[in-house]
Amino acid sequence: MASSRLKRVEESATIKVANMATKLRQQGVDVVSFSLGEPDFDTPQHICDAACNAMFRGETHYSPSAGLPDLRDAIAEKLRTENKLDVKGSDVLVTPGAKQAIFEFMLTVLDDGDEAILFDPAWVSYDSAVKFAGANPVWVPTDATDAFKPQDLEEYITDRTRLIVVNSPGNPTGAVYDRQTLKNIADIAIDHDLLVLSDEIYEKIIYDREHLSIGSMEGMQDRTVTVNGFSKAYAMTGWRLGYVCARPDIFEGMLKIQSHSISNTTTFVQHGGIAALRGPQEPMAEMVKEFRARRDLLIDELNAMGIKCQMPGGAFYAFADVSEFGDGDRIAERLLMDAHVAVTAGSAFGESGRNFIRLSYATSLDRIKEGLARIEDALI
């Protein structure tokens, strides 16, 4: 009895793999998981303390639907100082995770038959959010040998195109777009009067590069909707805390959806977000240092065994070309069933990923070494 809207949306491939790995573990199998994009670190203590203290002093009631004013102001201050965005607290909507913000945005700006540009490969839920809003995703190829930059973007713009989705640092590739790439996208958005959704959830997990917000570029302030959150940078995935800043008409539409659906983000969780932004940042820096060490080991070893993989500039994913051994779907299944290593088939992220697998290195160095040994035994 599913609706036609729901039938357009596929099951999340990343969650599916994680569930399969969980079932094997329940059977007593030791599975090395490279599947879920979740930091394996504990949330920093001062953030936990702030949320607990808020709960115990009675901050367990509804908050304003748009979020606590103190948190909205703290986010706006962060966006002004770090991202060079001209934002006030009143421009910020606090959401239960960045994913919720993305769905609310798609439902606000897309109509049936509209088109949204996705760069292939792209995170699995962009496609689903576009389809759920009744619109159609249009996939633009990228160059795997050149930081997965979009190729011939303007050729894919039609009179139905409404927006371009940008994710840098990106999932599943870890690619970080440089200033010129972002400027090219911005110029096309301006020329064709398009919106840009800039998903910057991985901005803090970046290596030897500078994070740039496309919304800070000339002419992009009013046409860019910037989404971010606390899950990746502060190891707060289960807290479900994200945010979005948008111009007033889009903001009001998203707020309407939020007020009629989830009402508000959990109140005491928002106090944790204030502590994350205004408290010590050293724990985040330590996490990034550890992610770098894991990245270097994983990429070097994959390439050494003949699995081609570009060095990612950010996030905590390796997007590895396994075409020497088979297509990504078969290799992912083989690794899980024969080697008990969980990876995600690259096809989950778009047609161009068919010869790839995604490995999340959000797991310990010891487990990465064990997983690499199993992969080598299974494939080499």
Side-chain angles (χ1 to χ4, degrees):
M1 298 295 293
S3 69
S4 59
R5 178 180 292 107
L6 189 60
K7 290 177 181 177
R8 299 186 72 210
V9 179
E10 292 80 23
E11 179 184 6
S12 170
T14 51
I15 300 297
K16 181 179 180 180
V17 172
N19 289 341
M20 292 170 64
T22 297
K23 287 183 180 179
L24 285 173
R25 288 195 190 94
Q26 290 171 345
Q27 297 168 12
V29 177
D30 176 33
V31 177
V32 177
S33 180
F34 293 117
S35 59
L36 273 184
E38 177 175 32
D40 57 317
F41 304 98
D42 292 332
T43 304
Q45 188 63 45
H46 69 281
I47 300 174
C48 295
D49 289 344
C52 287
N53 291 337
M55 188 175 3
F56 290 133
R57 68 172 177 262
E59 298 282 353
T60 57
H61 304 281
Y62 291 129
S63 78
S65 191
L68 293 173
D70 283 353
L71 177 55
R72 297 171 72 193
D73 287 343
I75 292 168
E77 180 182 2
K78 180 263 182 212
L79 291 171
R80 287 193 301 270
T81 57
E82 295 184 6
N83 302 90
K84 313 306 179 190
L85 300 177
D86 183 14
V87 176
K88 306 182 295 297
S90 57
D91 301 317
V92 174
L93 177 63
V94 179
T95 59
K99 184 183 289 187
Q100 176 75 12
I102 291 167
F103 268 80
E104 290 179 8
F105 168 70
M106 298 294 189
L107 290 169
T108 296
V109 304
L110 293 176
D111 280 322
D112 290 348
D114 283 348
E115 294 176 350
I117 297 290
L118 306 180
F119 299 151
D120 189 2
W123 177 54
V124 295
S125 290
Y126 297 138
D127 177 82
S128 296
V130 170
K131 289 178 178 176
F132 200 81
N136 300 311
V138 174
W139 293 86
V140 172
T142 62
D143 185 350
T145 66
D146 187 20
F148 291 92
K149 295 175 183 175
Q151 304 295 301
D152 305 316
L153 169 58
E154 199 155 18
E155 294 181 9
Y156 292 82
I157 307 295
T158 73
D159 59 0
R160 301 295 298 173
T161 307
R162 183 81 170 105
L163 66 93
I164 302 170
V165 177
V166 175
N167 178 211
S168 174
N171 176 7
T173 65
V176 177
Y177 291 152
D178 57 23
R179 184 178 296 277
Q180 187 57 55
T181 300
L182 291 176
K183 185 178 185 304
N184 291 342
I185 296 169
D187 288 346
I188 290 171
I190 292 168
D191 289 346
H192 295 273
D193 193 23
L194 303 177
L195 294 169
V196 170
L197 170 66
S198 183
D199 180 357
E200 304 184 14
I201 192 70
Y202 297 100
E203 66 162 341
K204 296 292 187 182
I205 305 172
I206 195 166
Y207 319 103
D208 304 318
R209 287 164 174 80
E210 177 189 9
H211 173 72
L212 299 169
S213 293
I214 192 170
S216 67
M217 294 184 164
E218 185 177 357
M220 292 301 294
Q221 174 76 27
D222 286 341
R223 66 177 67 252
T224 303
V225 172
T226 301
V227 171
N228 209 324
F230 296 80
S231 294
K232 315 300 184 182
Y234 297 99
M236 294 172 66
T237 51
W239 294 62
R240 308 314 303 136
L241 186 61
Y243 59 87
V244 56
C245 65
R247 72 190 195 209
D249 59 327
I250 297 175
F251 176 94
E252 290 299 327
M254 295 179 68
L255 179 59
K256 183 185 293 186
I257 293 171
Q258 178 145 307
S259 64
H260 282 299
S261 55
I262 58 95
S263 295
N264 64 273
T265 303
T266 304
T267 303
F268 52 85
V269 163
Q270 295 184 60
H271 286 277
I274 295 170
L277 291 175
R278 292 183 171 163
Q281 303 298 303
E282 288 81 5
M284 179 175 59
E286 286 300 313
M287 282 193 293
V288 174
K289 181 180 178 181
E290 178 66 17
F291 279 136
R292 179 195 293 269
R294 297 172 181 183
R295 176 200 66 162
D296 293 348
L297 170 68
L298 180 63
I299 304 305
D300 288 348
E301 291 299 318
L302 287 173
N303 281 296
M305 68 177 75
I307 298 175
K308 294 174 288 187
C309 190
Q310 299 291 318
M311 184 66 77
F316 38 68
Y317 305 109
F319 204 55
D321 183 346
V322 293
S323 56
E324 294 291 323
F325 307 93
D327 69 61
D329 289 68
R330 274 188 283 233
I331 294 300
E333 182 178 359
R334 181 176 167 188
L335 290 177
L336 182 60
M337 303 312 297
D338 296 346
H340 300 144
V341 174
V343 302
T344 306
S347 60
F349 306 97
E351 184 62 33
S352 72
R354 296 228 162 253
N355 289 324
F356 290 78
I357 58 173
R358 190 196 74 173
L359 302 93
S360 167
Y361 48 90
T363 189
S364 71
L365 280 170
D366 286 343
R367 294 301 278 172
I368 290 173
K369 291 174 183 177
E370 173 65 23
L372 285 166
R374 295 184 189 186
I375 291 171
E376 186 168 21
D377 287 344
L379 298 184
I380 309 303

